[in-house]
Amino acid sequence: MLPILIVEDDITFSLMLSTWLKKKGFDVISVTTIAEGKKMIEKKSFDIVLSDLRLPDGDGIELLRWLEENAYSLPVIVMTGYAEIQTAVQAMKLGASDYISKPINPHEL
């Protein structure tokens, strides 16, 4: 099983999500910035990326653009506490698999 990458600056939320996914048998790696996420994607293969929209060094849209520009075929679910229709449409046009509002019910994920 390939790991899941979580790009999330809210440490508490990231830990909760990682713990839940690990209990379900997934291999999870968490980072807190887009820069760290890009480095991990360059080093390892992932089944999916769960990325917060607003991060300290940019946003999930920037990560989606980078994935597209570098020809990574990787599903991304964008998570945000600031759900806006325009941002959701932009994320989906850039290849996001889904766009979910926080708080997230792990069972729905």
Side-chain angles (χ1 to χ4, degrees):
M1 175 184 306
L2 297 175
I4 294 173
L5 176 63
I6 297 174
V7 184
E8 171 63 64
D9 62 327
D10 180 335
I11 303 298
T12 303
F13 178 72
S14 180
L15 181 61
M16 181 274 305
L17 193 54
S18 292
T19 301
W20 187 84
L21 289 167
K22 287 176 182 177
K23 285 181 180 178
K24 296 294 180 185
F26 293 98
D27 181 15
V28 181
I29 295 174
S30 296
V31 297
T32 58
T33 65
I34 291 171
E36 292 172 320
K38 290 176 182 178
K39 287 179 187 176
M40 289 305 301
I41 291 167
E42 290 174 335
K43 284 194 231 180
K44 296 185 70 124
S45 294
F46 292 93
D47 275 340
I48 192 165
V49 174
L50 306 175
S51 177
D52 191 11
L53 180 62
R54 295 186 182 180
L55 293 154
D57 61 341
D59 62 28
I61 300 298
E62 179 184 330
L63 181 59
L64 286 166
R65 281 193 185 109
W66 180 83
L67 288 167
E68 183 179 52
E69 290 167 2
N70 291 280
Y72 284 100
S73 177
L74 185 60
V76 177
I77 295 176
V78 176
M79 309 175 293
T80 184
Y82 308 94
E84 299 170 351
I85 293 172
Q86 183 179 5
T87 308
V89 169
Q90 185 180 16
M92 299 305 275
K93 283 183 178 179
L94 286 169
S97 299
D98 207 345
Y99 185 93
I100 324 174
S101 296
K102 291 179 185 174
I104 295 170
N105 179 343
H107 295 288
E108 290 177 22
L109 184 60

